[in-house]
Amino acid sequence: MEIDRDHGRSPSQLRPLSCSRNVLHRAHGSASWSQGETKVLAAVYGPKAGTKKNENPEKACIEVIWKPKTGQIGKLEREYEMILKRTLQSICILTLNPNTTTSIIVQVVNDDGALLVCAINAACAALVDAGIPMKHLAVAICCCLAESGYVILDPTKLEELKMRGFAYLVFPNSVLSVLPEGSSLVEGEPMENGIITSVTHGVMSVEEYLKCLERGRAASAKLSDFLRRSLQSQLSNDSSKAA
Amino acid sequence: MGVPDASGDLSSEMEVDAFRRLFPLRYFERHLSESVRPDARPLGRARDTTLALGAVASAHGSALAKIGSTTMLAAIKMEVMTPSTESPDEGCIAIDFHMPPICSPIVRPGRPAEAAPVISKQLSDTISSSGMINLKELSLVSGKAAWIAYLDIYCLDADGALFDAALLSAVAAFSHLQIPIVSLNDDGKIVVILEEDDGTKLEKEPVNREKRKLTLSSIPFSLTCILHKNYILADPTAEEESIMETLVTVGLDSSSRLVSFYKPGGPVLAYTSAVQDCVALTRQRVKELQEILDEAISGMEID
């Protein structure tokens, strides 16, 4: 089933996705998310009472702990923790549980490219599983820019090495609402076109970045459908957890 | 604080200060609706920037950059190392960013600041992806010896836009860098010839007489902006950063290519128009910073 791009995956074809919730028994919420060979496990504990120092006690605090596959955490992991924390802060409703801390533990199971993106998607699904109040979901996508200037999505680790530059992009998922069409437009663009998070590596022209954005948005719509479907299908056989 | 107030008596001054502390967001929004910021800057204007090269005499290259009151001291120390087998004819750069407790009340002694490793990582990403430094130039003897450049940046005063100031000081330190002269001794080892020996006759032929300056090909500069509602505020202070949380850092090199578009979360979403506005502001800023750097370099040559 696994088709590599060298074996005929089209540039904008994502690897097979899979998402399962409630995989850990003791955590308040957990999820595992995999994109091809990249797999991340996320667990949520909280909200627990009290916030850490230097955090605003009028809001809920979010704490992210990144566990690499092996070894100690370094600068790269610290950066990932910070990006994850800020991204999740922006999608959670922090004012509902003031003076509490929610911990999200991200365990890398296997890294085969697009790791940060996979972790953001896993953390998001785990937050849903834990029932943390959220404004909307976030969907993350990795866009790569090849030497010749075309954009490919969701690279494997081997592909990442060959690329001139890449961008990790996070968009809000499309919201199903009862409001009339067009009421959620911001400056003539739908809400899901706005960037929550963007991290780039390598040199690209501004036009190429905008091209990445466009392709990322198109793919994020598919991803957000997948996320919604997989969360809804598990909702029905989820009653055991509530008991 | 320089809040314009016509009456100017103490009681109204107190009220403004109290208002600022109690309702910081509303205080800022009142200013923004008048297209001005509390420090009397227009929204898109960066703070005054100064650059001094050669601030640390014992380092091989150094610079002190100030953007407003944000102060960064960067220094480079060169050491000879054995290059790795994967890249035998390349040197390397090790970047470290320090935030000592002196820089901000948020940093407490004994525990390192959360932001420091992140900025350090961002700096090495930006410098390596811009391709500013050709690592082959740091090679001395292929497979045997190459330079390792230890770049240490100290934040002396953290008043917002830390990454911009850190990148500026790093770039300036590299353009000030003077690589020491080395020669091969009898055992085939590299030894550094001290500067004082320059006048006297050298016993050994130096290995790198010509290669004492790095050629910096495309220099990256950056600008941090705050997105708040429809406003875009360039070069925020620490106070602005703590009140309005959506930060976007755009890095462009001297030929206007995008080196980094960094937006770590934040409650405001960036739409295409905001992306383009931030890039346009950065373009202007890059020109300013390039001039400031050129001026500092030419000032050094006159001395």
Side-chain angles (χ1 to χ4, degrees):
Chain A
M1 193 57 211
E2 169 78 79
I3 313 158
D4 201 33
R5 197 157 286 137
D6 310 322
H7 304 112
R9 180 147 73 107
S10 76
S12 51
Q13 193 176 354
L14 306 176
R15 288 174 290 177
L17 301 166
S18 91
C19 166
S20 44
R21 281 196 303 134
N22 201 6
V23 287
L24 299 175
H25 185 62
R26 299 292 303 275
H28 296 137
S30 60
S32 87
W33 180 281
S34 64
Q35 292 177 216
E37 293 293 301
T38 307
K39 184 173 182 180
V40 173
L41 197 62
V44 174
Y45 290 89
K48 299 174 283 191
T51 54
K52 288 205 290 184
K53 226 170 211 159
N54 292 337
E55 297 279 352
N56 184 359
E58 288 179 20
K59 285 184 174 180
C61 163
I62 289 193
E63 174 189 53
V64 175
I65 298 161
W66 185 283
K67 292 283 178 191
K69 202 171 155 192
T70 51
Q72 295 280 315
I73 88 164
K75 278 182 193 166
L76 180 70
E77 286 79 18
R78 292 233 183 266
E79 192 193 15
Y80 283 173
E81 278 184 354
M82 196 276 285
I83 293 169
L84 253 170
K85 181 183 161 183
R86 300 259 191 102
T87 305
L88 298 176
Q89 264 177 344
S90 64
I91 59 168
C92 291
I93 304 175
L94 301 172
T95 43
L96 273 184
N97 301 315
N99 203 16
T100 60
T101 303
T102 304
S103 311
I104 295 130
I105 294 112
V106 174
Q107 171 69 56
V108 180
V109 180
N110 191 28
D111 175 14
D112 186 29
L115 182 62
L116 178 64
V117 160
C118 203
I120 292 174
N121 290 330
C124 198
L127 282 173
V128 171
D129 191 41
I132 304 292
M134 288 155 88
K135 284 183 257 182
H136 48 73
L137 296 172
V139 280
I141 181 87
C142 178
C143 304
C144 271
L145 201 63
E147 215 55 65
S148 48
Y150 65 86
V151 181
I152 65 165
L153 297 177
D154 193 20
T156 61
K157 195 141 205 174
L158 265 174
E159 285 173 322
E160 259 180 9
L161 293 175
K162 282 185 278 179
M163 292 300 143
R164 179 155 60 98
F166 47 91
Y168 297 127
L169 301 168
V170 184
F171 299 100
N173 77 328
S174 45
V175 181
L176 294 178
S177 77
V178 290
L179 295 172
E181 191 79 15
S183 64
S184 61
L185 292 185
V186 184
E187 293 171 41
E189 284 187 278
M191 206 259 294
E192 57 262 33
N193 271 4
I195 311 163
I196 301 179
T197 296
S198 156
V199 179
T200 70
H201 290 265
V203 179
M204 55 182 94
S205 69
V206 178
E207 288 71 34
E208 283 168 330
Y209 178 72
L210 292 175
K211 204 161 88 183
C212 279
L213 276 186
E214 199 181 300
R215 300 290 290 278
R217 279 172 188 147
S220 78
K222 279 183 244 163
L223 262 170
S224 112
D225 281 347
F226 171 79
L227 190 62
R228 191 185 300 277
R229 249 184 298 126
S230 67
L231 292 181
Q232 272 171 347
S233 66
Q234 285 167 31
L235 213 60
S236 47
N237 50 31
D238 209 33
S239 46
S240 61
K241 187 171 170 87
Chain B
M1 293 308 295
V3 180
D5 194 341
S7 51
D9 63 318
L10 195 66
S11 67
S12 75
E13 188 110 317
M14 291 290 281
E15 268 176 32
V16 170
D17 263 359
F19 187 67
R20 182 180 196 156
R21 287 189 161 272
L22 290 170
F23 308 102
L25 191 59
R26 218 176 299 162
Y27 174 81
F28 269 93
E29 278 175 353
R30 286 268 294 272
H31 281 83
L32 295 183
S33 61
E34 308 273 327
S35 296
V36 72
R37 288 150 81 171
D39 54 5
R41 271 190 290 162
L43 303 194
R45 167 104 43 91
R47 290 168 288 174
D48 287 340
T49 306
T50 55
L51 194 56
L53 299 183
V56 183
S58 62
H60 296 122
S62 61
L64 183 81
K66 282 191 81 152
I67 298 179
S69 51
T70 301
T71 312
M72 294 287 171
L73 181 65
I76 302 173
K77 195 145 180 96
M78 304 291 281
E79 267 176 33
V80 179
M81 57 138 196
T82 319
S84 66
T85 41
E86 295 110 67
S87 49
D89 52 357
E90 282 185 4
C92 74
I93 302 167
I95 299 176
D96 223 343
F97 178 75
H98 307 268
M99 281 179 82
I102 191 179
C103 75
S104 153
I106 301 169
V107 186
R108 320 185 96 247
R111 48 161 82 175
E114 256 177 45
V118 177
I119 292 181
S120 176
K121 175 78 186 23
Q122 244 183 302
L123 277 172
S124 42
D125 276 348
T126 307
I127 288 175
S128 70
S129 59
S130 69
M132 171 176 80
I133 292 159
N134 184 1
L135 292 176
K136 292 208 162 64
E137 280 188 25
L138 291 171
S139 174
L140 287 165
V141 183
S142 179
K144 291 258 171 55
W147 288 113
I148 176 164
Y150 288 103
L151 168 62
D152 286 277
I153 302 166
Y154 288 88
C155 177
L156 304 181
D157 191 349
D159 189 22
L162 298 184
F163 177 74
D164 300 351
L167 184 63
L168 178 64
S169 71
V171 162
F174 272 116
S175 54
H176 175 252
L177 177 65
Q178 190 84 342
I179 299 174
I181 304 181
V182 291
S183 70
L184 280 168
N185 70 2
D186 298 333
D187 306 335
K189 287 223 173 100
I190 295 277
V191 284
V192 177
I193 299 171
L194 294 173
E195 290 285 337
E196 294 89 86
D197 296 351
D198 264 9
T200 63
K201 197 171 172 292
L202 300 167
E203 305 132 50
K204 299 275 179 244
E205 192 53 32
V207 185
N208 61 340
R209 187 170 276 295
E210 280 89 50
K211 299 189 285 183
R212 298 209 51 202
K213 275 269 174 201
L214 291 174
T215 36
L216 304 180
S217 42
S218 53
I219 300 176
F221 293 105
S222 71
L223 178 68
T224 300
C225 298
I226 282 187
L227 302 183
H228 180 71
K229 294 189 176 158
N230 289 326
Y231 304 112
I232 298 177
L233 284 75
D235 187 27
T237 61
E239 190 189 4
E240 289 168 334
E241 279 183 3
S242 68
I243 294 162
M244 296 167 280
E245 287 163 345
T246 314
L247 294 173
V248 178
T249 303
V250 185
L252 293 176
D253 68 8
S254 15
S255 43
S256 272
R257 289 177 308 168
L258 196 71
V259 183
S260 143
F261 191 95
Y262 193 78
K263 178 181 186 291
V268 181
L269 304 172
Y271 294 95
T272 312
S273 59
V275 170
Q276 276 160 340
D277 290 348
C278 286
V279 170
L281 280 173
T282 312
R283 277 214 179 99
Q284 279 176 23
R285 178 71 176 155
V286 166
K287 274 183 208 143
E288 284 171 36
L289 290 173
Q290 184 81 55
E291 270 169 32
I292 290 167
L293 180 65
D294 289 345
E295 217 167 86
I297 293 171
S298 62
M300 279 300 287
E301 278 160 4
I302 294 163
D303 289 344

